[in-house]
Amino acid sequence: MRALAAAATAVAAPTPTRLRLPLLSRTLRSGHCRSSYSSRLLRFSCSATTMGDETSTSVAPQEQESTVQAGSVKQQLSGLVLMSLRATVPEVEVEPMVEVSAKFADYQCNNAMGLWSKVKGSGTSFKNPNAIGQAIAKNLPSSDIIESTSVAGPGFVNIVLSNRWVAQRIQDMLVNGIKTWAPILPVKRAVIDFSSPNIAKEMHVGHLRSTIIGDTLARMFEFSNVDVLRRNHVGDWGTQFGMLIEYLFEKFPNWQEIGSQAIGDLQIFYKASKHRFDNDPEFKARAQQGVVRLQGGEERYREAWKKICDISRSEFDLVYKRLNVVLEEKGESFYNPYIPQVLEELSSKGLIKESEGARVIFIQGHQIPLIVVKSDGGFNYASTDLAALWYRLNVEQAEWIIYVTDVGQQQHFDMFFSAAKMAGWLPGPNEKKFPKTSHVGFGLVLGSDGKRFRTRSTEVVRLVELLDEAKSRSKSELLQRLTENGKIVDWTDEELEQTSEAVGYGAVKYADLKNNRLTNYTFSFEQMLSDKGNTAVYLQYAHARICSIIRKSNKDVEDLKMTGAISLDHPDERVLGLYLIRFAEVVEEACTNLLPNVVCEYLYNLSEMFTKFYTNCQVVGSPEETSRLLLCQATAVVMRQCFNLLGITPVYKL
């Protein structure tokens, strides 16, 4: 995170002189609306002549080559299908429907039935959906990707990929790096707003999901070449600061001389000031006035505010360092100068109304209005969020703004997004264009009793303590296993520490991320640190085993990449190879739907497929040793990238 000085400077900065609302034409200028999907797929021109049910297509070969090398396999096939669709039914604009096939082929084009419903009765020469499917298959441009096609039932076009092309794609990745498999997303810049604890309050297990999920989304988008602004929207400007500052002044009049020692444990300090606030009306009145003096810029209050924020931030950093999470802080205070003119703009559009002394925006479909100025004249979450959104759209030029909070805040975001659409800041609800906003909701972390995860004293679980325990348990398990199998002598103390940390922290992250984020999940150290089933520990063992296979071969994999070749003659080799090259579209799906568990599922399935391959295909000492070692290496590389996307440090021996 940036130092507080940046935020403090921003607070004191002059308010903008003019509001510039985001123009929807930005979307068209940058080519990032859904309607541009076809143009992104079709990177080369083709000419088509239609004669009844038969269509011939000619493609410039050099242009075809440059196209099929970009994007995921699904994106590349979609580009070929798109050209076929334009040749088959030039009068109908339709997006390609390409999906992984479960039974009859590798991929399947499912456009025929939808097209039939659009063209039947219009004098078309096609007799039924199957005839359209036959034409789509016939009009597919010649490509090294496709081995064969067939048409089934009501026009489903089954596509079998070329073994040679799949093998070459894997080998190219090994030579040029996994980054060449990054998917192509329809945005160039995104804001991901996550973690967002409140200053002066300890991070606890309730912040765990936002931090882990947000970091994984950021990593996936960054891998996909999106410029990600990782925003920590901390609560650093609320009414609690009047309470904290007045308590500090009262207890330690010379607090500036003794510095951080005046506050000591911030959690104890917060509880003591809160108790005083709740039970002493005179102190409460002073605290409320203290907020006004702070927000008015009084130097003594600003100084105390900065000190409290600094102490709190250093405690947050301990957690972020353990989790290996990077954030840039722009808290509530940063956006405060922008609020008045943002509200003035909304008011000029007739959106803000007076209601019971407050200023509100009435949102269709909601019984209660969105309050943007409280009856006492103060600002709130909605006013800050509107100012932050304005800033992110206009100053930071973000095309996708993603908020990661618990599902309990869904209504707030629904209303807040609706207000932005009413203002013309965002496309309307039926327009599938950018810029856009998304709320990434998540469920609760539960204890074994099915209730919100807390300590025995009903206190929330401190995140630092939880992570320390995960590492401690992981180290204990590792020491026991290494002692029992006599391998403890092969490990240094540093290796034990690093591996225990990687496995322990990784187990906590994976146990969260493997679930659909919308559901609650039960926190269990025993379950997450198990080396059996779909756990991070099991996957770490699977990765370490692959590394061990390669080491025991005594072959230089870097040399094999350049001199060897991959073949996929055995059925289990082909299954593994085909699943490897689907990595990019899995990441694309996870980004599109904002679901990290999609990557977890892929990673677990990949480890299972590798196990089957290794069981049925001898590697070291076989005639196919070079090819199979390269498949082992490719699997390890993809697994490591999955770990990286999930914020998990892979281990190379266990």
Side-chain angles (χ1 to χ4, degrees):
M1 294 184 296
R2 287 183 176 173
L4 180 67
T9 302
V11 171
T15 57
T17 57
R18 180 174 64 90
L19 290 180
R20 179 173 59 80
L21 295 179
L23 300 177
L24 296 186
S25 59
R26 267 179 56 204
T27 304
L28 302 177
R29 184 174 72 246
S30 58
H32 293 321
C33 63
R34 186 176 289 272
S35 61
S36 67
Y37 179 72
S38 298
S39 62
R40 286 186 283 111
L41 290 176
L42 191 60
R43 302 280 180 85
F44 51 93
S45 59
C46 65
S47 57
T49 307
T50 306
M51 296 178 294
D53 286 358
E54 298 182 5
T55 308
S56 61
T57 307
S58 62
V59 181
Q62 69 275 18
E63 292 176 326
Q64 175 182 334
E65 173 120 8
S66 66
T67 299
V68 298
Q69 292 176 351
S72 66
V73 179
K74 186 175 176 180
Q75 286 173 330
Q76 294 182 43
L77 288 175
S78 294
L80 297 173
V81 168
L82 179 63
M83 287 190 292
S84 175
L85 291 170
R86 289 185 172 180
T88 303
V89 283
E91 71 277 12
V92 180
E93 186 168 339
V94 62
E95 292 184 7
M97 298 172 60
V98 177
E99 301 295 339
V100 172
S101 176
K103 293 183 180 179
F104 305 109
D106 300 327
Y107 287 83
Q108 187 171 277
C109 169
N110 301 327
N111 281 98
M113 288 184 69
L115 284 173
W116 172 246
S117 67
K118 293 182 178 181
V119 302
K120 67 178 178 180
S122 62
T124 180
S125 57
F126 294 115
K127 306 300 181 186
N128 51 47
N130 185 275
I132 295 179
Q134 296 287 350
I136 293 172
K138 186 174 182 179
N139 290 331
L140 282 169
S142 177
S143 167
D144 291 341
I145 303 177
I146 300 174
E147 179 71 32
S148 64
T149 60
S150 61
V151 181
F156 299 120
V157 180
N158 295 315
I159 301 171
V160 176
L161 302 188
S162 160
N163 276 10
R164 182 178 176 184
W165 183 84
V166 173
Q168 189 59 52
R169 184 167 173 84
I170 296 170
Q171 191 133 6
D172 288 346
M173 181 275 290
L174 287 174
V175 172
N176 299 310
I178 189 70
K179 191 68 176 177
T180 59
W181 279 8
I184 299 172
L185 299 184
V187 294
K188 294 186 182 300
R189 174 173 287 183
V191 168
I192 302 182
D193 180 329
F194 66 103
S195 193
S196 305
N198 285 321
I199 291 288
K201 291 186 179 180
E202 182 128 40
M203 288 185 73
H204 53 75
V205 74
H207 296 110
L208 182 70
R209 300 206 76 179
S210 177
T211 305
I212 290 174
I213 293 170
D215 179 58
T216 295
L217 291 175
R219 287 169 178 269
M220 295 192 305
F221 275 76
E222 287 161 349
F223 175 72
S224 305
N225 298 307
V226 174
D227 178 19
V228 177
L229 307 182
R230 293 161 161 260
R231 291 289 175 259
N232 201 6
H233 189 89
V234 298
D236 65 350
W237 205 237
T239 55
Q240 78 268 24
F241 282 99
M243 173 185 81
L244 290 164
I245 293 170
E246 289 297 336
Y247 191 72
L248 177 65
F249 290 166
E250 181 180 282
K251 291 292 182 182
F252 302 96
N254 63 333
W255 69 272
Q256 290 157 306
E257 298 173 18
I258 60 177
S260 301
Q261 295 176 5
I263 294 175
D265 187 318
L266 190 56
Q267 305 316 302
I268 295 174
F269 187 85
Y270 181 90
K271 288 177 182 177
S273 63
K274 182 70 166 63
H275 182 267
R276 184 74 186 281
F277 183 86
D278 290 340
N279 295 283
D280 186 335
E282 189 272 334
F283 176 81
K284 182 176 183 178
R286 286 208 321 269
Q288 290 170 335
Q289 185 58 33
V291 177
V292 176
R293 298 172 79 170
L294 168 65
Q295 297 184 353
E298 193 169 321
E299 184 59 31
R300 192 165 69 110
Y301 283 79
R302 280 294 176 88
E303 241 185 285
W305 170 76
K306 183 180 184 300
K307 173 57 68 176
I308 292 169
C309 288
D310 280 344
I311 294 171
S312 190
R313 185 172 291 105
S314 65
E315 294 186 9
F316 295 162
D317 283 345
L318 293 175
V319 174
Y320 294 135
K321 185 176 180 180
R322 279 172 168 80
L323 291 173
N324 192 24
V325 170
V326 176
L327 281 148
E328 181 182 19
E329 182 180 308
K330 275 190 169 64
E332 292 174 353
S333 61
F334 179 88
Y335 303 104
N336 198 61
Y338 298 91
I339 294 176
Q341 290 194 35
V342 166
L343 296 184
E344 182 183 337
E345 176 65 32
L346 296 175
S347 185
S348 71
K349 290 178 176 290
L351 298 180
I352 297 180
K353 310 291 184 184
E354 298 290 331
S355 177
E356 298 180 13
R359 300 180 69 198
V360 306
I361 300 175
F362 290 98
I363 309 293
Q364 187 174 1
H366 291 272
Q367 293 183 343
I368 59 172
L370 183 69
I371 300 174
V372 294
V373 181
K374 296 183 292 184
S375 57
D376 62 4
F379 301 134
N380 60 1
Y381 289 127
S383 41
T384 301
D385 281 343
L386 285 165
L389 178 59
W390 178 90
Y391 184 89
R392 290 163 176 178
L393 289 169
N394 289 276
V395 180
E396 295 178 325
Q397 293 286 298
E399 296 156 292
W400 197 352
I401 300 99
I402 298 163
Y403 300 81
V404 186
T405 74
D406 64 88
V407 292
Q409 298 187 45
Q410 182 66 55
Q411 184 184 55
H412 167 74
F413 283 102
D414 285 346
M415 297 176 71
F416 158 47
F417 295 162
S418 294
K421 290 170 185 174
M422 291 163 62
W425 296 3
L426 300 170
N430 298 320
E431 296 180 88
K432 296 180 178 179
K433 297 179 180 179
F434 292 94
K436 75 172 185 177
T437 53
S438 297
H439 175 230
V440 175
F442 54 83
L444 298 173
V445 182
L446 305 178
S448 57
D449 58 359
K451 298 178 180 178
R452 189 188 291 265
F453 190 41
R454 295 180 183 274
T455 63
R456 290 179 182 176
S457 61
T458 74
E459 293 286 338
V460 291
V461 178
R462 296 177 67 195
L463 203 44
V464 170
E465 293 173 356
L466 182 148
L467 293 171
D468 286 346
E469 184 170 355
K471 177 183 175 180
S472 175
R473 289 185 179 225
S474 172
K475 186 175 182 179
S476 177
E477 296 263 350
L478 181 60
L479 283 170
Q480 182 180 343
R481 189 181 63 81
L482 292 174
T483 302
E484 289 174 353
N485 63 24
K487 293 184 178 180
I488 188 69
V489 294
D490 300 329
W491 287 66
T492 65
D493 289 343
E494 185 180 5
E495 284 178 322
L496 284 170
E497 284 296 309
Q498 291 176 345
T499 302
S500 300
E501 188 171 288
V503 172
Y505 296 171
V508 172
K509 289 185 177 185
Y510 190 82
D512 185 314
L513 295 168
K514 74 176 182 179
N515 301 286
N516 185 308
R517 57 177 169 74
L518 293 171
T519 62
N520 300 336
Y521 88 95
T522 301
F523 192 96
S524 166
F525 279 120
E526 290 74 17
Q527 196 170 50
M528 66 178 59
L529 290 169
S530 171
D531 61 359
K532 296 178 178 60
N534 187 10
T535 67
V537 181
Y538 169 80
L539 293 168
Q540 292 276 28
Y541 272 110
H543 173 258
R545 183 172 63 155
I546 296 172
C547 296
S548 175
I549 293 166
I550 295 171
R551 283 195 302 269
K552 289 178 180 178
S553 73
N554 292 318
K555 295 292 174 66
D556 185 344
V557 174
E558 294 304 312
D559 181 59
L560 293 183
K561 289 179 189 178
M562 309 307 297
T563 60
I566 296 174
S567 61
L568 303 172
D569 298 328
H570 191 283
D572 290 321
E573 291 175 326
R574 188 179 195 280
V575 168
L576 178 60
L578 193 63
Y579 203 68
L580 283 169
I581 67 167
R582 287 179 180 159
F583 168 74
E585 63 207 48
V586 168
V587 178
E588 180 188 8
E589 179 189 348
C591 290
T592 301
N593 298 318
L594 304 172
L595 292 172
N597 64 294
V598 170
V599 174
C600 296
E601 183 180 0
Y602 173 84
L603 176 57
Y604 179 67
N605 289 340
L606 178 61
S607 70
E608 295 289 272
M609 288 179 183
F610 178 83
T611 297
K612 186 177 180 184
F613 153 76
Y614 186 64
T615 301
N616 297 328
C617 300
Q618 180 185 345
V619 177
V620 179
S622 70
E624 303 86 0
E625 182 182 67
T626 295
S627 169
R628 290 176 178 174
L629 280 173
L630 290 174
L631 274 177
C632 289
Q633 178 67 8
T635 304
V637 169
V638 172
M639 288 188 75
R640 284 197 284 273
Q641 187 57 49
C642 287
F643 282 135
N644 181 266
L645 296 179
L646 300 172
I648 296 171
T649 302
V651 297
Y652 292 77
K653 72 174 188 177
L654 268 175

